[in-house]
């Protein structure tokens, strides 16, 4: 087992600047966070709990330092337009990664015999983990059409060094994205929101094959306050992933949910009926892109679900009136917020 002390000296600086004067707001933050190796990562002995998966720490590991920069600015152009620009950047030195190799023949390491057919894992430090994500947004209120429109352009870049088996690989990720969001403003009782997100991922590896694919996400949401005591909401989402190279097969997912609520006048009783996955088409997939392969996991899915909720509020009424539930008018670039209105 590991004995002795390992000392790490870390500085945790933090700098934050803020400037606010109409029509401009600027926020800047800079900080650094140390990441210390765990006991399992620096232990000297071999972990043989599973003789086919043997792990050993590395007592020579150095601590990592995660440096982050955040910049956010917004400008109001006239009364109905706003622009914003943001940037997030990070750099990590001495990043701790896991290195695993397959043992084809019996191999002796520091007096310990590792049997053939097993895997041997340890930990190493790598440098050069970088991530940069600038984005630009534009919001406008279209008064003649009674609509709010938001557009966002983003670009994510990262340099991600890691070990795939026992080989050092550096993955360069380029992910441009475009987001459109359209919200209705013609009524406080009836709300519509249409959102579209498109992104293209290009992953280039120094030691393995490249991966690239297209993601598309479209959603439509409707919130309707029929009366002061009844509402009906619905939302539909379509997700698609189209691979071009090394990203598996095409994936599609549809989700349609609906909810209706009824409040008994002059009482604190509310009855909600919800139905999730009405089309019974949700595949519940999750895709993880690693350096040299793409892993798609399908989780068990219950399918269509009905849910009835009965809520009794003891203090929700006042003499001479009852509680209505509505939606605040959205401010520019913000989501709708459901709040009680008395």
């Amino acid at each position: 087992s590991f004995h002795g002390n390992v000392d790490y000296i870390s500085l945790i600086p933090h700098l934050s600047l803020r400037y606010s004067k109409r029509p401009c707001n600027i926020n800047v933050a800079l900080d650094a966070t140390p990441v210390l190796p765990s006991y399992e990562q620096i232990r000297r002995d071999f972990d043989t709990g599973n003789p086919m998966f043997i792990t050993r720490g590395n007592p020579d590991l150095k601590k990592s330092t995660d440096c982050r920069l955040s910049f956010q600015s917004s400008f109001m152009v006239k009364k109905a337009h706003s622009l914003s620009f943001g940037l997030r950047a990070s750099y990590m030195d001495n990043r701790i990664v896991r290195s695993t190799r397959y043992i084809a023949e019996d191999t002796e390491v520091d007096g310990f015999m590792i049997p053939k057919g097993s895997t041997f894992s340890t930990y190493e430090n790598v440098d050069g983990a970088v991530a940069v994500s600038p984005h630009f947004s534009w919001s406008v209120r279209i008064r003649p059409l009674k609509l709010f429109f938001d557009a966002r352009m983003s670009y994510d870049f990262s340099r991600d060094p890691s070990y795939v088996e026992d080989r050092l690989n550096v993955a360069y990720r380029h992910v441009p994205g475009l987001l459109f969001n359209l919200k209705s403003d013609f009524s406080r009782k009836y709300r519509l929101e249409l959102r579209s997100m498109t992104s293209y991922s290009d992953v280039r590896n120094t030691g393995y094959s490249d991966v690239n694919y297209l993601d598309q996400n479209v959603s439509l949401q409707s919130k309707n306050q029929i009366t002061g005591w009844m509402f009906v909401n619905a939302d539909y989402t379509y997700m698609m992933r189209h691979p071009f190279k090394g990203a598996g097969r095409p994936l599609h997912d549809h989700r349609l949910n609906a909810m209706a609520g009824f409040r008994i006048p002059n009482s604190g009783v509310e009855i909600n009926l919800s139905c999730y996955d009405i089309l019974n088409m949700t595949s519940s997939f999750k895709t993880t892109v690693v350096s040299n392969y793409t892993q798609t996991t399908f989780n068990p899915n219950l399918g269509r679900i009905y849910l009835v909720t009965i809520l009794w509020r003891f203090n929700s009424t006042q003499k001479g009136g009852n509680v209505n539930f509505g939606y605040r008018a959205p401010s520019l670039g913000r989501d709708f917020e459901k709040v009680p209105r008395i």
Side-chain angles (χ1 to χ4, degrees), residues 219-265:
S219 63
L220 178 63
Q221 186 179 65
S222 174
K223 296 181 178 181
N224 307 282
Q225 190 77 39
I226 307 300
T227 65
W229 44 268
M230 182 178 181
F231 72 90
V232 177
N233 299 336
D235 63 86
Y236 170 77
T237 303
Y238 170 72
M239 294 178 289
M240 179 271 292
R241 168 162 293 177
H242 180 76
F244 294 98
K245 183 179 180 181
R249 62 184 180 86
L251 299 172
H252 302 270
D253 200 359
H254 301 264
R255 299 179 185 177
L256 176 60
N257 306 319
M259 172 185 289
F262 175 81
R263 176 182 293 278
I264 300 178

Side-chain angles (χ1 to χ4, degrees), residues 92-104:
M92 178 177 287
D93 67 339
N94 297 323
R95 181 181 182 181
I96 300 174
V97 298
R98 186 184 181 103
S99 173
T100 302
R101 63 190 177 98
Y102 175 76
I103 305 299

Side-chain angles (χ1 to χ4, degrees), residues 181-331:
N181 194 30
L182 196 63
K183 301 178 183 178
S184 66
D185 188 38
F186 54 81
S187 171
R188 296 188 63 212
K189 293 184 177 181
Y190 305 100
R191 299 294 188 186
L192 287 174
E193 180 177 357
L194 176 64
R195 178 185 292 259
S196 174
M197 177 65 190
T198 306
S199 65
Y200 174 77
S201 299
D202 183 21
V203 184
R204 303 181 182 182
N205 300 286
T206 58
Y208 294 89
S209 59
D210 300 336
V211 176
N212 48 56
Y213 54 91
L214 177 71
D215 279 333
Q216 178 65 57
N217 189 313
V218 180
S219 63
L220 178 63
Q221 186 179 65
S222 174
K223 296 181 178 181
N224 307 282
Q225 190 77 39
I226 307 300
T227 65
W229 44 268
M230 182 178 181
F231 72 90
V232 177
N233 299 336
D235 63 86
Y236 170 77
T237 303
Y238 170 72
M239 294 178 289
M240 179 271 292
R241 168 162 293 177
H242 180 76
F244 294 98
K245 183 179 180 181
R249 62 184 180 86
L251 299 172
H252 302 270
D253 200 359
H254 301 264
R255 299 179 185 177
L256 176 60
N257 306 319
M259 172 185 289
F262 175 81
R263 176 182 293 278
I264 300 178
N266 300 318
S267 73
V269 179
E270 181 179 345
I271 303 175
N272 295 328
L273 173 62
S274 306
C275 182
Y276 299 96
D277 192 15
I278 296 176
L279 301 177
N280 201 25
M281 297 179 64
T282 301
S283 56
S284 298
F285 67 85
K286 178 181 179 181
T287 302
T288 303
V289 179
V290 193
S291 298
N292 66 328
Y293 68 93
T294 301
Q295 178 180 351
T296 302
T297 304
F298 291 88
N299 298 318
N301 187 32
L302 295 177
R304 188 181 298 112
I305 300 175
Y306 296 95
L307 180 65
V308 177
T309 305
I310 301 176
L311 182 64
W312 189 356
R313 300 177 185 271
F314 291 95
N315 60 347
S316 61
T317 60
Q318 295 181 350
K319 184 177 180 180
N322 63 335
V323 176
N324 296 328
F325 281 81
Y327 299 95
R328 290 176 180 170
S331 58

